[in-house]
Amino acid sequence: MAGSDEQTLHLRPVSGSETEQVLIYAPLELEPVTAATFGWPRADESGDHTNARLLRDALVLCTRAGAGPFRSLGQLAVEPRAYQLVPLLMALRMPTIRLLVADDVGIGKTIEAALIARELLDRGDIERTTVLCPPHLVDQWVRELEEHFNLHAVAVTAASASRLERRLPQGESIFGAHPHTVVSLDYIKSERRRAEFLRACPGFVIVDEAHTCTSHGRGRHQRYELLQGLSQDPQRHLVLLTATPHSGDDRAFHALLGLLDARFEALADADADQRKTLRRELSRHFVQRRRPDIAEWQQGRIFPRRETTELTYALVGEGEEFFAQVLRHCAEVVEAKPGAEPTPSTTYWSSLALMRCAGSSPAAALAALRNRADAETPAEELAERIADGVEGLGGQDDREPAVAVDGVLLTVLLAQAERLVASGADPKLACLREHLGRLLADGFDPVVFCRYIATAHYLSERLKFEGVAVDAVTGELGAAERKRRVEALGDAPRRILVATDCLSEGINLQEHFDAVVHYDLSWNPTRHEQREGRVDRFGQGSPVVRTTLLYGVNNPVDGAVLEVIVRKAAKIRAELGVPVPLPAEGEALTRALMQAVFVDPRRAERQLELDFSASEEAERLEDEWTNAAQRARRSRTVFAQRRLQPEEVLPQWTRALASIGSREDVRRFVEHALEHLGGALRSLEPGFEIRLDDLPRVVREGLAAEGLEGTLRVDFDYPASPRCRSIHRSHPLVRVLAETLLDRTLAPRPPGESTAGSLGRVGQWSSEAVTVPTTVALLRLRHRLTTRRAQQRRSAIVEEAVAVAWSTDDGAPRSSGDEAMALLTDAPWMEPEAPSPAEIEAALGQLREHRERLDEHARERAQLLLEEHRRARKASRASGSHAVEPLLPVDVIGLYLLTPGGR
């Protein structure tokens, strides 16, 4: 293997995987280490055509160190689309990767970033990785890396770090002991932990939700200092991920760009010429695509069609009077605040908080009114929370704030809220219940998003449909419990999830849900997009996703939000094709909304109506937003990266995927491998069932080491059906089955020893696919791939499974590659014939005569691989060079005789 020299040998079994490699120091060996050759098939190792195909599949699915230009394919459980290769092509151009991936919500930034990490690992460019993310995303990252990229990462959080450290020798770091980690930003950002992390941090770092790390507020400032420290190492690879790189704060945006290169912070103050130069340089480090950009590479349906509707209700009776009381109280507080006052009081913000709670539900209003005894939240933080501006917390700002209402009014409002909660006479809830009934009837499984914890529980307790499971997930639950509840709902045949915005950031819900209802309008349009992006994303199985905005026709707050925020956001998206974040701090946005609602303070006393006139603040906000949209339009032409052409390497990518095994190959292999080993793949609805206890002990032990025991419910599609695990080529089940069969078949054995359990390496049968007697050889080719870049030179041993075929009668070449391999997989077969020892021996003799032809075939394959590597390098505009050298002799895995036959 690569890395060996005269004294130190890196070895692995011919039928084993990379994880089984051992290190031998030759001077310490009692007997000299000598070269060995791979044994050829023998006439007594016979099997039928089913076994031949099973051997072929096992060989293909065991290939991990793929020979093509993309080394990571053998480790992937996902099949990336062409557009998802763009960040990888950009990364391969850089000696040190500094990349900001700002693709739209749901496009697949996790796949794009993890693909870069997996590729660099398999090329030998890096050895260790870490992911930094908000705490609520840690478990999801660990799961995604393991399930989709065969990377076993350790979660490092406030809850797990002490346990991990107790298991380490004195003085050793978690990040030295564990090559792959996923780290909570909030755990690692403190000054004490930050210093240790900077010392031991791996050379490749992914930062998720990177916009939450810009220098704004104390928590964010600590995160920013952490990333700034990481970026100061010129050798460290840094991939930043965010769907909202520019959230309206120019200073924060340029600070984020400065993590890629300190020069980019000067963009804010640069003159026209400097700005043009810097933006051109930035385009090498920044990719931002929206769905219209992705459509250019669309092959089949990538994303579902989004159908958006609006739904209205009217406040009536005591509910209308209660909201009017709250609104009058807010109007008095807003009117009493001097217009020039720079920092509104906590009383001002708490009155608006009460207004938001009352608009959400009677239960949220009641919880807020009862919260008076809680510690007061600082005014600045309360302003951000009211405007839904706090990001990166996993939506854990969903608890109802304490409010400041005194005396008689408090008593009146408490009594009204209690009666409303008890009565159940809630037109907003009734409207939702009716709409959910229609969604369920149309076959949808919806997520209902609301603003506050009390509202979520209020809804989940009152939404009852026959045969439908309903549950609430809020910020009061830990990440593990949230995941458990979502998965439990996913096991139900029909389901409704009620959630606060704790599930609006970074969480994937597309496997179990395909509709979104905004029960409460957000004051931040980005949150609407984030909510919908939980189900409208890459991997959604439904062709249609429905989204619904619910609002009150006689609620002036909803009216202001619709007019000032939601309608404007929709207009910008329609004109530009992309969403543009609201360019305002929480206080500026709130002023615009309050002026829109209370432009005439007497309105709240007259009636609740929608036809308010525009305010100066709203007009100013619209002007800023329009300017931001124009800047976004210009940026899109630069950072959509249309100059990169992933379709140039797509043929190699597709060919490489086929060569390492498709999903159909995986399903066929698992079914036949289980049957061969005494088990079965039992069809269910949906998916399949596998009883692992039926398998031989050695297989059970191998699977148990991977955490697989008992009975598995599986699926071979992605995403998997509800209650099923997705089985793919790099799944432990496939790996253990393939390695077991190869070991049983290829392990050397003395002549005459029983071949029980072996697939057999020779066979004979008749086939409609051939017109003359044909010999097919199943081969494993090994190559030494050498990459030169700058002053570095790296070598790796890569391999591929191929087949060649020739005429049995005269030895004339007939086919190779896919055509020859198809004779073992796709060709219509007849009943097997009893192998003729004489004919098998003759074919083996012919094979020995063809040894030089096999070696020449290996040289031809090496040259084709070199050309593919060069095309990939050209497509990514990367520097450096490659060399591919075949390692001879060729490994002959199987030899089969096909005779013409008809049905």
Side-chain angles (χ1 to χ4, degrees):
M1 292 184 61
S4 298
D5 55 35
E6 291 183 358
Q7 292 190 323
T8 306
L9 303 176
H10 294 260
L11 308 174
R12 73 170 172 85
V14 293
S15 61
S17 67
E18 297 291 335
T19 60
E20 296 179 79
Q21 63 175 285
V22 296
L23 182 68
I24 293 180
Y25 184 57
L28 295 180
E29 294 299 311
L30 297 177
E31 297 181 5
V33 179
T34 58
T37 57
F38 182 73
W40 280 31
R42 300 200 313 252
D44 62 345
E45 298 178 313
S46 63
D48 61 20
H49 55 70
T50 301
N51 286 358
R53 181 168 62 183
L54 193 52
L55 178 59
R56 175 266 178 198
D57 288 345
L59 182 67
V60 166
L61 294 171
C62 263
T63 302
R64 292 287 178 266
F70 298 102
R71 304 288 312 287
S72 58
L73 278 177
Q75 304 285 0
L76 304 183
V78 294
E79 297 181 7
R81 299 288 185 139
Y83 74 87
Q84 291 173 325
L85 299 180
V86 168
L88 174 60
L89 295 177
M90 293 175 67
L92 294 179
R93 299 168 60 179
M94 304 178 191
T96 300
I97 298 169
R98 294 296 170 89
L99 193 60
L100 175 56
V101 182
D103 287 345
D104 203 356
V105 173
I107 281 179
K109 292 183 291 298
T110 299
I111 291 175
E112 293 169 342
L115 181 59
I116 296 172
R118 183 74 259 184
E119 183 69 23
L120 293 187
L121 284 164
D122 293 329
R123 289 170 179 245
D125 292 343
I126 60 174
E127 295 179 349
R128 298 186 299 139
T129 67
T130 197
V131 176
L132 297 175
C133 62
H136 65 284
L137 298 180
V138 168
D139 290 340
Q140 177 170 304
W141 265 101
V142 170
R143 188 170 64 253
E144 297 254 346
L145 290 175
E146 181 169 351
E147 292 180 356
H148 298 151
F149 296 92
N150 202 22
L151 283 173
H152 304 283
V154 171
V156 183
T157 64
S160 68
S162 296
R163 183 182 71 253
L164 293 171
E165 288 171 341
R166 283 196 298 269
R167 299 174 181 173
L168 299 178
Q170 185 74 22
E172 186 169 4
S173 166
I174 292 174
F175 308 102
H178 300 282
H180 308 298
T181 53
V182 179
V183 186
S184 162
L185 274 164
D186 285 350
Y187 167 76
I188 208 69
K189 71 186 180 184
S190 70
E191 188 172 347
R192 177 176 61 84
R193 298 190 184 104
R194 185 167 71 234
E196 166 61 16
F197 181 66
L198 290 174
R199 183 191 65 79
C201 180
F204 184 92
V205 179
I206 296 171
V207 184
D208 197 11
E209 304 291 345
H211 63 282
T212 68
C213 302
T214 50
S215 50
H216 180 73
R218 174 167 174 75
R220 292 190 177 194
H221 184 65
Q222 287 182 316
R223 291 183 177 188
Y224 180 72
E225 285 185 337
L226 170 66
L227 297 193
Q228 199 171 39
L230 293 174
S231 69
Q232 288 172 358
D233 182 346
Q235 303 302 315
R236 177 168 285 116
H237 303 293
L238 197 58
V239 178
L240 309 177
L241 307 180
T242 173
T244 53
H246 197 313
S247 57
D249 184 342
D250 284 340
R251 180 171 57 87
F253 176 60
H254 292 117
L256 187 64
L257 297 182
L259 297 173
L260 305 173
D261 189 318
R263 294 176 299 161
F264 297 146
E265 285 198 68
L267 272 165
D269 304 316
D271 60 33
D273 290 340
Q274 292 173 323
R275 188 174 183 82
K276 183 177 180 181
T277 301
L278 285 172
R279 281 171 61 84
R280 185 166 56 246
E281 179 65 20
L282 177 61
S283 68
R284 296 177 56 244
H285 302 268
F286 185 17
V287 55
Q288 184 177 32
R289 281 90 50 87
R290 303 309 189 196
R291 298 196 182 190
D293 303 311
I294 300 305
E296 298 173 11
W297 295 315
Q298 194 163 4
Q299 293 182 329
R301 183 180 62 84
I302 295 179
F303 303 109
R305 184 177 75 255
R306 189 184 298 188
E307 296 179 350
T308 300
T309 59
E310 294 183 358
L311 204 61
T312 61
Y313 66 93
L315 293 168
V316 295
E318 189 168 12
E320 182 179 16
E321 174 56 28
F322 173 72
F323 191 75
Q325 289 261 31
V326 172
L327 207 58
R328 281 194 289 270
H329 167 68
C330 292
E332 292 170 0
V333 174
V334 169
E335 188 176 13
K337 171 187 171 293
E341 185 179 341
T343 305
S345 66
T346 301
T347 302
Y348 171 85
W349 293 117
S350 69
S351 67
L352 301 186
L354 176 60
M355 181 182 69
R356 289 215 64 185
C357 289
S360 176
S361 71
L366 183 59
L369 290 166
R370 288 173 173 172
N371 274 350
R372 288 177 51 80
D374 291 351
E376 287 190 345
T377 306
E380 180 184 353
E381 181 180 334
L382 193 53
E384 284 291 304
R385 288 177 59 182
I386 289 171
D388 298 344
V390 181
E391 297 182 75
L393 298 179
Q396 293 181 88
D397 58 338
D398 54 2
R399 190 170 297 280
E400 304 75 22
V403 298
V405 180
D406 296 318
V408 176
L409 180 59
L410 174 61
T411 303
V412 171
L413 293 178
L414 275 170
Q416 287 181 311
E418 288 170 348
R419 286 196 299 272
L420 288 170
V421 170
S423 71
D426 185 345
K428 184 179 181 183
L429 173 59
C431 182
L432 172 68
R433 187 183 289 112
E434 181 182 350
H435 180 62
L436 291 178
R438 292 196 297 270
L439 284 176
L440 292 168
D442 290 342
F444 289 91
D445 295 302
V447 184
V448 180
F449 278 106
C450 52
R451 181 63 180 83
Y452 296 109
I453 292 173
T455 301
H457 292 306
Y458 171 79
L459 296 181
S460 65
E461 292 165 4
R462 289 163 174 77
L463 294 173
K464 306 295 181 185
F465 297 91
E466 185 177 353
V468 179
V470 181
D471 201 358
V473 174
T474 69
E476 63 193 328
L477 304 175
E481 179 62 13
R482 295 182 214 173
K483 176 180 179 293
R484 189 196 68 76
R485 291 205 182 188
V486 170
E487 292 300 324
L489 268 183
D491 288 340
R494 301 305 310 276
R495 62 203 79 99
I496 296 173
L497 171 62
V498 182
T500 64
D501 285 312
C502 72
L503 292 185
S504 71
E505 295 179 48
I507 307 297
N508 298 335
L509 299 176
Q510 75 273 19
E511 293 187 24
H512 305 306
F513 302 94
D514 49 16
V516 168
V517 179
H518 302 280
Y519 189 73
D520 293 332
L521 298 180
S522 175
W523 288 19
N524 181 347
T526 301
R527 284 239 177 139
H528 283 172
E529 189 65 27
Q530 287 172 333
R531 291 170 175 178
E532 294 171 4
R534 298 311 99 218
V535 300
D536 183 3
R537 61 191 299 108
F538 183 75
Q540 170 61 255
S542 172
V544 176
V545 163
R546 285 192 184 170
T547 66
T548 306
L549 287 172
L550 181 65
Y551 61 90
V553 292
N554 58 346
N555 181 332
V557 180
D558 279 358
V561 173
L562 281 167
E563 190 71 19
V564 177
I565 300 175
V566 177
R567 305 272 192 243
K568 180 62 178 177
K571 181 180 179 183
I572 289 174
R573 186 181 182 100
E575 292 176 352
L576 192 58
V578 300
V580 177
L582 191 65
E585 298 293 332
E587 184 179 339
L589 169 63
T590 305
R591 281 200 306 268
L593 290 175
M594 292 306 96
Q595 281 195 15
V597 175
F598 300 123
V599 67
D600 179 356
R602 294 169 298 173
R603 172 173 294 135
E605 298 178 1
R606 292 200 314 268
Q607 59 181 346
L608 305 181
E609 55 187 13
L610 278 173
D611 58 338
F612 48 83
S613 58
S615 69
E616 292 179 5
E617 289 288 347
E619 290 176 353
R620 183 181 65 80
L621 184 61
E622 181 171 354
D623 289 341
E624 291 182 7
W625 208 351
T626 301
N627 292 335
Q630 294 305 318
R631 291 195 299 270
R633 186 191 303 273
R634 292 190 295 270
S635 293
R636 181 180 164 196
T637 62
V638 177
F639 303 123
Q641 301 296 344
R642 293 188 178 89
R643 291 176 298 169
L644 288 176
Q645 302 297 320
E647 60 269 24
E648 292 181 8
V649 296
L650 200 57
Q652 296 99 291
W653 180 271
T654 304
R655 191 159 53 249
L657 280 174
S659 70
I660 62 174
S662 66
R663 288 191 175 273
E664 177 54 34
D665 290 332
V666 171
R667 189 206 62 77
R668 180 183 66 219
F669 168 75
V670 170
E671 180 179 6
H672 292 156
L674 290 172
E675 182 180 341
H676 183 83
L677 293 168
L681 184 68
R682 298 177 176 84
S683 181
L684 298 176
E685 186 57 47
F688 302 87
E689 181 184 81
I690 303 172
R691 290 183 54 187
L692 301 184
D693 292 340
D694 296 338
L695 299 174
R697 181 173 60 85
V698 65
V699 180
R700 295 199 308 272
E701 289 175 351
L703 293 173
E706 300 288 350
L708 301 176
E709 297 180 286
T711 300
L712 302 183
R713 190 162 186 176
V714 304
D715 195 2
F716 297 94
D717 290 329
Y718 177 77
S721 301
R723 305 182 297 284
C724 295
R725 302 179 186 222
S726 178
I727 301 298
H728 43 78
R729 74 175 314 276
S730 62
H731 192 278
L733 173 68
V734 177
R735 185 175 69 250
V736 171
L737 291 176
E739 290 177 2
T740 299
L741 291 176
L742 279 183
D743 187 61
R744 288 186 173 191
T745 303
L746 302 181
R749 57 171 55 88
E753 182 177 305
S754 171
T755 59
S758 167
L759 294 175
R761 298 177 63 187
V762 298
Q764 188 171 6
W765 61 84
S766 59
S767 171
E768 295 179 356
V770 298
T771 56
V772 298
T774 300
T775 301
V776 181
L778 177 63
L779 311 175
R780 175 170 49 197
L781 304 185
R782 301 179 189 275
H783 311 277
R784 178 179 287 108
L785 172 64
T786 303
T787 303
R788 294 180 177 85
R789 190 175 184 185
Q791 303 302 314
Q792 295 181 326
R793 178 181 180 274
R794 288 191 175 90
S795 292
I797 305 301
V798 298
E799 58 187 30
E800 56 180 338
V802 300
V804 294
W806 62 86
S807 170
T808 304
D809 293 337
D810 56 16
R814 296 192 57 79
S815 60
S816 61
D818 294 343
E819 185 179 350
M821 193 69 90
L823 295 175
L824 301 179
T825 56
D826 304 327
W829 292 335
M830 305 301 295
E831 288 298 318
E833 303 172 3
S836 165
E839 292 185 36
I840 293 293
E841 286 293 353
L844 288 169
Q846 197 176 51
L847 182 63
R848 295 184 184 93
E849 295 173 4
H850 284 43
R851 185 189 299 256
E852 180 55 38
R853 187 176 295 174
L854 295 180
D855 290 349
E856 183 59 32
H857 179 70
R859 295 186 188 96
E860 292 171 358
R861 281 296 309 158
Q863 183 60 35
L864 289 173
L865 289 170
L866 178 59
E867 292 172 4
E868 290 187 356
H869 280 275
R870 287 172 174 169
R871 279 195 293 271
R873 189 176 72 245
K874 180 181 178 182
S876 64
R877 302 181 182 180
S879 59
S881 63
H882 294 92
V884 182
E885 173 193 359
L887 299 180
L888 305 176
V890 170
D891 293 341
V892 181
I893 305 300
L895 189 68
Y896 306 99
L897 305 182
L898 278 63
T899 56
R903 294 192 180 278

